[in-house]
Amino acid sequence: MKLAARLLVRMCEAGNLTVSAELIQAKADVDMPEPEIGVTPLVAAANSGHVDICKYLFRKGASVNSEVQDGTGRVALHAAAQMGYASVLLLEQRADPRVADLVKATPLHLAARYGHCGALELLIKAKANPNQADESGHVPINDGVAKDRFDIVTKLLEHGAIVNVRNMAGLEAISFSRTPAMQALIMKNDVNF
């Protein structure tokens, strides 16, 4: 079973639907994590953007909320958001857009941190909370500001992001800005100015 799990994860990651289907027909478990790194087949497929394999895994009963067994507490939506593939498919399968990993980072945090505005927009439409803080009090807008990504910051502001949320170090969004234009945008939305 361990070998089958390892092979299934690798084939899902590589985008090989034919071999993945053969392994599942041979009774490989669609939710079993790969033994060495703890990644599930769905996380591997979502991380690589293989929507066709995700669809197949769902048809075979894969759980959209199966956690990676690597100590992070992440699910497929975390992986997809980090890589910019926050697919409507995962959200249609009732993936929770507010799910938090062990450090309380949400898929929205990861989409903002890695600069994926399309994924961020899908998550917001699915009711992700733009003001949900991770364990250090960090909110998604801080990452958008730090990356000087006006598209991400604007989208978050349009959906209620607050620029005055202080993280554990006492820093607000403006503390992460590096350009006068970004500082102006933040100050325009700052309740203290």
mmCIF file of all heavy atoms in Angstrom, residues 166-188:
data_model
loop_
_atom_site.group_PDB
_atom_site.id
_atom_site.type_symbol
_atom_site.label_atom_id
_atom_site.label_comp_id
_atom_site.label_asym_id
_atom_site.label_seq_id
_atom_site.Cartn_x
_atom_site.Cartn_y
_atom_site.Cartn_z
ATOM 1 N N ARG A 166 -2.824 45.382 13.499
ATOM 2 C CA ARG A 166 -1.428 45.281 13.955
ATOM 3 C C ARG A 166 -1.064 43.809 14.153
ATOM 4 O O ARG A 166 -1.820 43.055 14.761
ATOM 5 C CB ARG A 166 -1.234 46.011 15.279
ATOM 6 C CG ARG A 166 -1.332 47.512 15.163
ATOM 7 C CD ARG A 166 -1.030 48.165 16.522
ATOM 8 N NE ARG A 166 -1.218 49.593 16.442
ATOM 9 C CZ ARG A 166 -0.250 50.453 16.138
ATOM 10 N NH1 ARG A 166 0.958 50.008 15.895
ATOM 11 N NH2 ARG A 166 -0.499 51.743 16.090
ATOM 12 N N ASN A 167 0.110 43.441 13.646
ATOM 13 C CA ASN A 167 0.575 42.078 13.887
ATOM 14 C C ASN A 167 1.254 42.016 15.260
ATOM 15 O O ASN A 167 1.275 43.007 15.989
ATOM 16 C CB ASN A 167 1.492 41.587 12.755
ATOM 17 C CG ASN A 167 2.800 42.333 12.657
ATOM 18 O OD1 ASN A 167 3.201 43.056 13.560
ATOM 19 N ND2 ASN A 167 3.482 42.150 11.535
ATOM 20 N N MET A 168 1.819 40.878 15.614
ATOM 21 C CA MET A 168 2.422 40.703 16.945
ATOM 22 C C MET A 168 3.599 41.651 17.183
ATOM 23 O O MET A 168 3.919 41.973 18.318
ATOM 24 C CB MET A 168 2.887 39.258 17.133
ATOM 25 C CG MET A 168 1.748 38.253 17.048
ATOM 26 S SD MET A 168 0.634 38.348 18.419
ATOM 27 C CE MET A 168 1.352 37.166 19.491
ATOM 28 N N ALA A 169 4.222 42.104 16.104
ATOM 29 C CA ALA A 169 5.345 43.045 16.219
ATOM 30 C C ALA A 169 4.853 44.490 16.264
ATOM 31 O O ALA A 169 5.652 45.421 16.328
ATOM 32 C CB ALA A 169 6.308 42.861 15.054
ATOM 33 N N GLY A 170 3.531 44.682 16.206
ATOM 34 C CA GLY A 170 2.960 46.020 16.248
ATOM 35 C C GLY A 170 2.959 46.743 14.912
ATOM 36 O O GLY A 170 2.734 47.953 14.854
ATOM 37 N N LEU A 171 3.198 46.019 13.833
ATOM 38 C CA LEU A 171 3.265 46.631 12.507
ATOM 39 C C LEU A 171 1.929 46.569 11.787
ATOM 40 O O LEU A 171 1.235 45.551 11.822
ATOM 41 C CB LEU A 171 4.333 45.928 11.658
ATOM 42 C CG LEU A 171 5.750 45.917 12.233
ATOM 43 C CD1 LEU A 171 6.667 45.074 11.360
ATOM 44 C CD2 LEU A 171 6.282 47.331 12.377
ATOM 45 N N GLU A 172 1.570 47.652 11.118
ATOM 46 C CA GLU A 172 0.376 47.724 10.282
ATOM 47 C C GLU A 172 0.808 47.644 8.823
ATOM 48 O O GLU A 172 2.005 47.677 8.511
ATOM 49 C CB GLU A 172 -0.353 49.042 10.529
ATOM 50 C CG GLU A 172 -0.879 49.202 11.933
ATOM 51 C CD GLU A 172 -1.551 50.546 12.164
ATOM 52 O OE1 GLU A 172 -1.593 51.378 11.236
ATOM 53 O OE2 GLU A 172 -2.021 50.766 13.289
ATOM 54 N N ALA A 173 -0.151 47.616 7.924
ATOM 55 C CA ALA A 173 0.131 47.482 6.493
ATOM 56 C C ALA A 173 1.111 48.533 5.988
ATOM 57 O O ALA A 173 1.998 48.236 5.185
ATOM 58 C CB ALA A 173 -1.167 47.533 5.690
ATOM 59 N N ILE A 174 0.982 49.776 6.443
ATOM 60 C CA ILE A 174 1.854 50.844 5.945
ATOM 61 C C ILE A 174 3.325 50.570 6.265
ATOM 62 O O ILE A 174 4.220 51.007 5.547
ATOM 63 C CB ILE A 174 1.414 52.235 6.454
ATOM 64 C CG1 ILE A 174 2.055 53.309 5.575
ATOM 65 C CG2 ILE A 174 1.731 52.399 7.930
ATOM 66 C CD1 ILE A 174 1.320 54.605 5.560
ATOM 67 N N SER A 175 3.578 49.801 7.319
ATOM 68 C CA SER A 175 4.954 49.467 7.696
ATOM 69 C C SER A 175 5.649 48.608 6.645
ATOM 70 O O SER A 175 6.872 48.545 6.610
ATOM 71 C CB SER A 175 4.965 48.714 9.025
ATOM 72 O OG SER A 175 4.340 49.472 10.029
ATOM 73 N N PHE A 176 4.870 47.949 5.803
ATOM 74 C CA PHE A 176 5.441 47.055 4.794
ATOM 75 C C PHE A 176 5.604 47.737 3.434
ATOM 76 O O PHE A 176 6.158 47.144 2.522
ATOM 77 C CB PHE A 176 4.562 45.807 4.650
ATOM 78 C CG PHE A 176 4.474 45.007 5.918
ATOM 79 C CD1 PHE A 176 3.406 45.178 6.785
ATOM 80 C CD2 PHE A 176 5.475 44.118 6.264
ATOM 81 C CE1 PHE A 176 3.330 44.451 7.972
ATOM 82 C CE2 PHE A 176 5.412 43.395 7.441
ATOM 83 C CZ PHE A 176 4.338 43.563 8.297
ATOM 84 N N SER A 177 5.125 48.975 3.311
ATOM 85 C CA SER A 177 5.177 49.649 2.009
ATOM 86 C C SER A 177 6.576 50.166 1.716
ATOM 87 O O SER A 177 7.289 50.604 2.608
ATOM 88 C CB SER A 177 4.158 50.785 1.944
ATOM 89 O OG SER A 177 4.466 51.769 2.892
ATOM 90 N N ARG A 178 6.929 50.113 0.433
ATOM 91 C CA ARG A 178 8.258 50.545 0.018
ATOM 92 C C ARG A 178 8.219 51.695 -0.972
ATOM 93 O O ARG A 178 9.249 52.235 -1.329
ATOM 94 C CB ARG A 178 9.012 49.372 -0.613
ATOM 95 C CG ARG A 178 9.346 48.284 0.395
ATOM 96 C CD ARG A 178 10.049 47.145 -0.252
ATOM 97 N NE ARG A 178 9.042 46.336 -0.940
ATOM 98 C CZ ARG A 178 9.300 45.394 -1.806
ATOM 99 N NH1 ARG A 178 10.523 45.123 -2.146
ATOM 100 N NH2 ARG A 178 8.335 44.709 -2.362
ATOM 101 N N THR A 179 7.034 52.047 -1.449
ATOM 102 C CA THR A 179 6.943 53.104 -2.456
ATOM 103 C C THR A 179 5.954 54.167 -2.008
ATOM 104 O O THR A 179 4.983 53.870 -1.297
ATOM 105 C CB THR A 179 6.473 52.536 -3.818
ATOM 106 O OG1 THR A 179 5.150 51.997 -3.664
ATOM 107 C CG2 THR A 179 7.419 51.457 -4.318
ATOM 108 N N PRO A 180 6.161 55.399 -2.434
ATOM 109 C CA PRO A 180 5.225 56.473 -2.087
ATOM 110 C C PRO A 180 3.803 56.206 -2.603
ATOM 111 O O PRO A 180 2.830 56.537 -1.932
ATOM 112 C CB PRO A 180 5.822 57.710 -2.747
ATOM 113 C CG PRO A 180 7.273 57.403 -2.895
ATOM 114 C CD PRO A 180 7.354 55.922 -3.115
ATOM 115 N N ALA A 181 3.696 55.599 -3.763
ATOM 116 C CA ALA A 181 2.362 55.320 -4.314
ATOM 117 C C ALA A 181 1.594 54.330 -3.436
ATOM 118 O O ALA A 181 0.394 54.508 -3.187
ATOM 119 C CB ALA A 181 2.483 54.790 -5.738
ATOM 120 N N MET A 182 2.274 53.287 -2.954
ATOM 121 C CA MET A 182 1.619 52.310 -2.085
ATOM 122 C C MET A 182 1.295 52.954 -0.743
ATOM 123 O O MET A 182 0.220 52.733 -0.184
ATOM 124 C CB MET A 182 2.500 51.075 -1.884
ATOM 125 C CG MET A 182 1.837 49.985 -1.051
ATOM 126 S SD MET A 182 0.290 49.335 -1.757
ATOM 127 C CE MET A 182 0.932 48.260 -3.029
ATOM 128 N N GLN A 183 2.192 53.793 -0.230
ATOM 129 C CA GLN A 183 1.930 54.482 1.031
ATOM 130 C C GLN A 183 0.697 55.372 0.906
ATOM 131 O O GLN A 183 -0.135 55.413 1.812
ATOM 132 C CB GLN A 183 3.149 55.303 1.446
ATOM 133 C CG GLN A 183 4.314 54.447 1.865
ATOM 134 C CD GLN A 183 5.606 55.233 2.033
ATOM 135 O OE1 GLN A 183 5.675 56.415 1.724
ATOM 136 N NE2 GLN A 183 6.639 54.557 2.517
ATOM 137 N N ALA A 184 0.551 56.036 -0.237
ATOM 138 C CA ALA A 184 -0.609 56.899 -0.459
ATOM 139 C C ALA A 184 -1.904 56.083 -0.480
ATOM 140 O O ALA A 184 -2.914 56.497 0.093
ATOM 141 C CB ALA A 184 -0.443 57.681 -1.762
ATOM 142 N N LEU A 185 -1.865 54.937 -1.133
ATOM 143 C CA LEU A 185 -3.050 54.072 -1.187
ATOM 144 C C LEU A 185 -3.437 53.597 0.212
ATOM 145 O O LEU A 185 -4.614 53.615 0.579
ATOM 146 C CB LEU A 185 -2.799 52.874 -2.113
ATOM 147 C CG LEU A 185 -3.920 51.851 -2.223
ATOM 148 C CD1 LEU A 185 -5.201 52.489 -2.778
ATOM 149 C CD2 LEU A 185 -3.483 50.681 -3.095
ATOM 150 N N ILE A 186 -2.458 53.202 0.992
ATOM 151 C CA ILE A 186 -2.728 52.725 2.352
ATOM 152 C C ILE A 186 -3.255 53.866 3.221
ATOM 153 O O ILE A 186 -4.237 53.709 3.953
ATOM 154 C CB ILE A 186 -1.464 52.085 2.966
ATOM 155 C CG1 ILE A 186 -1.047 50.863 2.170
ATOM 156 C CG2 ILE A 186 -1.693 51.718 4.431
ATOM 157 C CD1 ILE A 186 -2.109 49.794 2.020
ATOM 158 N N MET A 187 -2.620 55.027 3.156
ATOM 159 C CA MET A 187 -3.065 56.156 3.982
ATOM 160 C C MET A 187 -4.484 56.601 3.608
ATOM 161 O O MET A 187 -5.255 56.999 4.479
ATOM 162 C CB MET A 187 -2.089 57.331 3.840
ATOM 163 C CG MET A 187 -0.807 57.082 4.613
ATOM 164 S SD MET A 187 0.251 58.524 4.770
ATOM 165 C CE MET A 187 0.820 58.747 3.108
ATOM 166 N N LYS A 188 -4.839 56.481 2.337
ATOM 167 C CA LYS A 188 -6.182 56.826 1.879
ATOM 168 C C LYS A 188 -7.230 55.929 2.575
ATOM 169 O O LYS A 188 -8.363 56.344 2.807
ATOM 170 C CB LYS A 188 -6.256 56.679 0.363
ATOM 171 C CG LYS A 188 -7.599 56.958 -0.231
ATOM 172 C CD LYS A 188 -7.513 56.793 -1.749
ATOM 173 C CE LYS A 188 -8.881 56.709 -2.339
ATOM 174 N NZ LYS A 188 -8.841 56.351 -3.753
#
